[in-house]
Amino acid sequence: MKCYPVPRENLVLSIDNLKDDIPEEYLSHKECYENVIRKGSVLYDIFSELSKDRKHKAHQAPSNAYRISDGIMQNVNPFLLHFALFVPAITNQATPEQQAEFLKHGFGIIGTYAQTELGHGTFLRGLETTATLDLETDEFVLNSPTLTSYKWWPGGLGHTANHCVVMAQLYVKGKCHGPHLFFVQIRDIETHEPLPGLKLGEIGAKMGFNTADNGFLGFHNFRIPRNNMLMKNSQVLKDGTYVESKNEKLTYGSMVFVRVYLLSDMAYMLARAATISVRYSAVRHQSHIKPDEPEVQILDFVIQQHKLFISIATSHAFKICGLWLWQTYSKVMEDIGKGSMDRLPELHALSCCLKTTSTRDAGWLIEQCRLACGGHGYLMSSNLPSLYTTATAAITYEGESTVLLLQTARYLIKSWKRAMEGESLPATVSFLSEYFNKRYNKWENTPKGIVDGLKLVVAGVTKMCAESIQKHVSRGQQYEEAWNSSSVQLIKASEAYSRALLCEVFWFEVDKVSSTLSNNLAVVLKQLAELYITYWALEKRGDLLVYTTISKDDLDKLQERYEELLALIRPNAVGLVDSFDIRDEILCSTLGAYDGRVYERMMEHALKSPLNAETVNQSFHKYMKPVILKHKI
Ligand SMILES: CCCCC/C=C\C/C=C\C/C=C\C/C=C\C/C=C\CCCCC(=O)SCCNC(=O)CCNC(=O)[C@H](O)C(C)(C)COP(=O)(O)OP(=O)(O)OC[C@H]1O[C@@H](n2cnc3c(N)ncnc32)[C@H](O)[C@@H]1OP(=O)(O)O
Ligand SMILES: Cc1cc2nc3c(=O)[nH]c(=O)nc-3n(C[C@H](O)[C@H](O)[C@H](O)COP(=O)(O)OP(=O)(O)OC[C@H]3O[C@@H](n4cnc5c(N)ncnc54)[C@H](O)[C@@H]3O)c2cc1C
């Protein structure tokens, strides 16, 4: 996977014409798009220059530096798909010769990843776009046979990209070989006009992501060279011979990359929301704790700490687990490069449930941060509304959450069956064997004890799912029907598995490095990790009571410890969000600026509203005054 050198923050933030005179929320839909293209083009130019000087580092661990662009854009970058999916799809799925050919223009082309259609997003085998081999001309003919087969949603497709990687059903000599990827130019490089045989446009305003330029694309007998099929894993030869892939799911590899990346991405989204809401909570004084004392910082309310500190801890949890998952991804990609695909199912299962949990948690936690800021959190200038709509889009894109959790459940059930047959299991699911063989310990009120307890919940729910499926089958249902009948519990098993993974990796990674850290830092990181684990033990107390030997007394002690941790973290709370080191220009928040001048910034921002350009808006004279005068008594 090529990674793009990321421009240093100072370099990017020092560029004058990247600043907005009018806040984006006061621009029209069209002006918004034109504005991000203006800024994105400057960024793109910087990326191009920088990439000429430095070698691309393959398999570079996720870094959120590319989110500088979000700070500059104050919204989603329409070029993001080029980097997030278009280039990775080519580097993962094309032969070296094709990569050299397709990427020879480097930043000279702008691409996107066109897979989802109006009629299908989840069920990829149901995609309707066709790519049919024409033996005589050595070309593929692309068609959108129905309205529902139009590509719909790809970022940058509407008016930005001039190329895309298209997922289409491959037809050779009348036989369908399933979804494959194709490199397609869609606009003229010089004029940017759509090429003949294409229908292109944007899909309209959305809840957020409104600068992503999500678009639609229809093909009408559109021809591309045969060599434009990405042929690293499977090939179509000149004589029409189809050489199938060692694993047909390798075609889906680009989605795994983004799912893995999203864990780190959500860590960064949460870091921003936590920074804004904790800093604001240190500035905002409201109400009393002791009646005879001055109004307090709202951060001194324990319930405010309960709302916000979990976001600080979760950001670190996702960052640490994101790097752990990235290392797994890199190792599996390396193995695949050597011809071994043994761990691909495990990586798929891990990426599905962790992508789902991280995006869902980021959504509700950012909303919780907003709500904790009262009315001012509802202002666009706080940036919390935009963070929310941007984060929650990820619950759907790159694999809808329910669908991905069912994928992980599929892996858990298969692993449970292997445990029952005495097979050895990968470390990430080996606890299923221990549970099956009744090798587990009594409850302990320690972080490790909680992690072990959460794993027992996973094993217990997985066992219950397997028994439920078996029960439905024994009553005459086909396996797929029995699976569907048990899907509520299957989702629960995957959710529990994801939570146990996050708690285990967070705690043990922190524990592992703590000896290398200064004592103060180790203490604070361990407090955050313990807060995270204890928070979720209390949230899942019902399951723990069902599947472990935890007692009511243990739970009371956990609640007490949780509240102790809130008090221990309180003195470091502002320092902890400052340590996320997110500059004001990237935070883009009147509530979260480093200098704490909240009220002055709110007023400065309000005065930028176009409505405040005059004391009386023309609508008074045009519309209100006639009515007032007419009904004046
Ligand atoms: C200039 C400034 C910018 C600079 C930027 C610089 C750098 C940026 C770099 C990176 C950024 C990265 C991320 C940034 C953040 C966000 C990205 C930006 C925007 C959003 C993009 C969104 C893009 C999309 O949404 S693309 C479309 C996504 N669509 C999906 O995910 C579809 C979901 N559906 C599926 O995956 C499948 O259809 C299915 C649900 C799995 C079902 O498929 P099916 O064939 O029915 O499979 P089945 O259930 O029968 O299982 C069969 C078998 O296959 C295995 N399987 C399935 N999928 C996979 C897989 N992906 N990998 C491996 N194995 C897979 C499955 O386990 C089964 O196996 P088995 O039979 O059980 O053994
Ligand atoms: C902001 C944004 C950006 C996007 N960017 C891109 C992009 O760049 N490129 C691209 O190709 N796509 C993109 N997408 C599309 C995205 O990948 C799809 O929306 C996603 O895969 C879900 O597919 P769908 O919308 O067709 O929902 P469907 O697949 O129709 O699912 C709808 C609902 O049906 C239920 N459901 C579906 N299947 C199952 C099942 N098997 N079991 C149980 N329940 C099920 C779920 O509740 C699901 O939410 C983007 C989407 C968004 C929102």
Side-chain angles (χ1 to χ4, degrees):
M1 178 206 89
K2 281 192 188 335
C3 278
Y4 293 90
V6 183
R8 289 181 301 282
E9 284 181 3
N10 296 336
L11 167 69
V12 177
L13 298 176
S14 65
I15 300 170
D16 270 344
N17 72 350
L18 281 176
K19 295 178 177 63
D20 286 330
D21 303 331
I22 302 175
E24 200 168 71
E25 55 265 27
Y26 299 122
L27 299 178
S28 71
H29 184 66
K30 190 163 173 283
E31 287 166 336
C32 259
Y33 172 72
E34 290 158 355
N35 192 38
V36 289
I37 289 295
R38 173 180 66 80
K39 295 189 283 185
S41 302
V42 173
L43 271 181
Y44 208 87
D45 185 29
I46 294 170
F47 266 80
S48 315
E49 290 312 318
L50 276 163
S51 68
K52 285 174 191 152
D53 312 336
R54 292 167 51 187
K55 281 271 162 274
H56 291 314
K57 284 196 223 82
H59 283 293
Q60 185 180 11
S63 107
N64 295 315
Y66 78 86
R67 284 292 184 185
I68 295 176
S69 72
D70 282 19
I72 302 295
M73 304 288 139
Q74 295 185 35
N75 215 315
V76 177
N77 189 315
F79 299 129
L80 184 54
L81 260 292
H82 174 85
F83 297 93
L85 271 159
F86 176 75
V87 173
I90 292 170
T91 50
N92 283 331
Q93 311 275 338
T95 63
E97 297 73 22
Q98 287 181 314
Q99 292 179 45
E101 173 59 23
F102 299 156
L103 297 176
K104 68 187 175 192
H105 298 301
F107 287 88
I109 62 172
I110 299 162
T112 185
Y113 183 82
Q115 173 176 294
T116 303
E117 297 173 355
L118 196 53
H120 285 90
T122 292
F123 187 58
L124 299 187
R125 287 181 286 151
L127 291 174
E128 297 175 86
T129 301
T130 60
T132 307
L133 180 68
D134 181 338
L135 272 167
E136 285 174 25
T137 63
D138 199 30
E139 294 171 317
F140 285 110
V141 183
L142 295 178
N143 268 299
S144 304
T146 59
L147 175 62
T148 50
S149 68
Y150 270 53
K151 292 303 177 186
W152 186 279
W153 273 111
L157 182 62
H159 291 273
T160 309
N162 53 27
H163 285 73
C164 58
V165 166
V166 175
M167 186 76 88
Q169 301 287 0
L170 168 64
Y171 281 85
V172 178
K173 298 176 185 171
K175 182 170 189 292
C176 180
H177 295 280
H180 286 69
L181 290 169
F182 299 83
F183 177 80
V184 184
Q185 180 174 349
I186 55 175
R187 286 179 181 271
D188 181 284
I189 299 282
E190 293 302 317
T191 66
H192 207 54
E193 285 294 333
L195 297 182
L198 298 182
K199 192 171 176 187
L200 264 174
E202 75 117 351
I203 64 172
K206 303 170 289 274
M207 166 178 170
F209 247 70
N210 274 302
T211 53
D213 180 34
N214 302 93
F216 64 77
L217 166 62
F219 297 99
H220 180 67
N221 292 328
F222 187 81
R223 290 178 172 270
I224 59 173
R226 175 178 56 83
N227 186 52
N228 278 32
M229 175 178 135
L230 305 193
M231 295 205 212
K232 177 179 176 182
N233 299 315
S234 55
Q235 297 83 35
V236 172
L237 309 182
K238 190 169 173 52
D239 65 0
T241 304
Y242 174 68
V243 181
E244 66 179 24
S245 166
K246 281 181 284 189
N247 179 327
E248 63 175 5
K249 298 306 178 187
L250 286 172
T251 307
Y252 297 171
S254 312
M255 292 181 277
V256 179
F257 159 68
V258 174
R259 291 169 190 160
V260 167
Y261 210 103
L262 281 170
L263 208 55
S264 307
D265 205 36
M266 291 303 121
Y268 186 64
M269 300 292 283
L270 263 180
R272 288 199 279 177
T275 300
I276 294 167
S277 52
V278 168
R279 282 181 179 167
Y280 176 69
S281 299
V283 171
R284 184 70 165 180
H285 289 69
Q286 197 72 200
S287 312
H288 299 270
I289 293 177
K290 293 177 187 168
D292 54 349
E293 290 191 358
E295 285 191 85
V296 295
Q297 292 169 296
I298 55 176
L299 198 53
D300 285 336
F301 291 113
V302 173
I303 191 62
Q304 187 82 351
Q305 298 162 18
H306 174 62
K307 289 177 190 174
L308 298 181
F309 293 177
I310 186 60
S311 281
I312 302 174
T314 303
S315 179
H316 286 285
F318 290 170
K319 184 78 180 174
I320 287 169
C321 296
L323 289 177
W324 171 82
L325 186 60
W326 181 265
Q327 286 156 4
T328 306
Y329 171 83
S330 301
K331 182 66 179 68
V332 172
M333 289 302 118
E334 201 179 307
D335 293 350
I336 289 173
K338 295 171 186 166
S340 162
M341 267 166 272
D342 297 350
R343 292 193 64 193
L344 183 57
E346 178 190 11
L347 173 65
H348 173 53
L350 292 172
S351 61
C352 282
C353 68
L354 290 171
K355 180 264 184 187
T356 296
T357 303
S358 60
T359 53
R360 281 179 171 179
D361 284 1
W364 71 266
L365 283 170
I366 292 171
E367 177 65 349
Q368 186 157 282
C369 288
R370 176 186 75 79
L371 292 168
C373 296
H376 301 345
Y378 197 65
L379 284 168
M380 290 303 285
S381 71
S382 74
N383 203 22
L384 288 166
S386 293
L387 282 172
Y388 173 75
T389 55
T390 303
T392 47
I395 301 171
T396 305
Y397 69 57
E398 216 55 78
E400 192 278 329
S401 60
T402 312
V403 166
L404 295 188
L405 286 174
L406 288 170
Q407 287 294 302
T408 301
R410 192 178 167 124
Y411 180 72
L412 288 174
I413 294 297
K414 286 191 167 200
S415 302
W416 175 256
K417 288 175 181 168
R418 290 174 60 192
M420 287 169 71
E421 285 147 19
E423 284 185 42
S424 65
L425 295 176
T428 48
V429 283
S430 58
F431 62 88
L432 292 175
S433 302
E434 288 148 28
Y435 181 82
F436 177 72
N437 297 307
K438 298 189 179 4
R439 287 197 307 267
Y440 44 81
N441 305 321
K442 277 181 64 62
W443 177 266
E444 271 180 29
N445 253 12
T446 63
K448 181 181 182 314
I450 293 171
V451 168
D452 289 344
L454 291 172
K455 286 178 175 181
L456 281 180
V457 171
V458 182
V461 178
T462 302
K463 177 174 181 285
M464 186 176 66
C465 292
E467 289 167 353
S468 167
I469 292 169
Q470 191 47 48
K471 177 189 65 183
H472 289 295
V473 166
S474 63
R475 290 177 183 166
Q477 285 190 3
Q478 283 185 15
Y479 185 84
E480 290 74 9
E481 287 176 295
W483 176 269
N484 187 36
S485 302
S486 308
S487 52
V488 173
Q489 300 168 79
L490 288 163
I491 292 289
K492 184 180 173 67
S494 286
E495 288 169 342
Y497 179 55
S498 195
R499 190 64 63 200
L501 274 171
L502 285 162
C503 289
E504 178 174 43
V505 173
F506 188 17
W507 178 254
F508 288 107
E509 290 295 320
V510 167
D511 196 39
K512 196 163 66 177
V513 299
S514 54
S515 57
T516 65
L517 305 173
S518 71
N519 184 49
N520 292 342
L521 181 55
V523 166
V524 170
L525 268 180
K526 279 193 158 185
Q527 285 170 356
L528 286 174
E530 189 182 351
L531 177 99
Y532 183 83
I533 294 169
T534 311
Y535 179 98
W536 284 106
L538 292 167
E539 287 292 304
K540 298 298 175 186
R541 69 187 78 195
D543 292 333
L544 292 173
L545 283 166
V546 171
Y547 293 102
T548 75
T549 58
I550 194 171
S551 66
K552 166 87 171 54
D553 184 47
D554 291 323
L555 284 168
D556 291 347
K557 288 193 175 80
L558 278 182
Q559 183 64 40
E560 203 177 318
R561 177 59 182 160
Y562 175 74
E563 289 161 10
E564 268 173 28
L565 286 163
L566 291 177
L568 287 168
I569 290 169
R570 169 65 186 89
N572 293 317
V574 175
L576 279 167
V577 297
D578 288 350
S579 69
F580 286 133
D581 192 22
I582 302 169
R583 296 170 58 146
D584 289 350
E585 303 94 322
I586 293 175
L587 205 57
C588 305
S589 171
T590 50
L591 304 191
Y594 184 76
D595 63 10
R597 291 175 58 251
V598 169
Y599 303 120
E600 294 84 349
R601 287 172 185 277
M602 285 173 69
M603 182 53 80
E604 284 160 22
H605 199 278
L607 294 176
K608 288 180 182 173
S609 166
L611 270 179
N612 290 329
E614 56 217 354
T615 51
V616 178
N617 183 274
Q618 58 161 349
S619 57
F620 171 75
H621 299 287
K622 267 175 94 172
Y623 308 113
M624 287 172 64
K625 190 170 180 179
V627 173
I628 291 169
L629 293 179
K630 178 182 169 189
H631 294 279
K632 191 175 173 191
I633 299 169

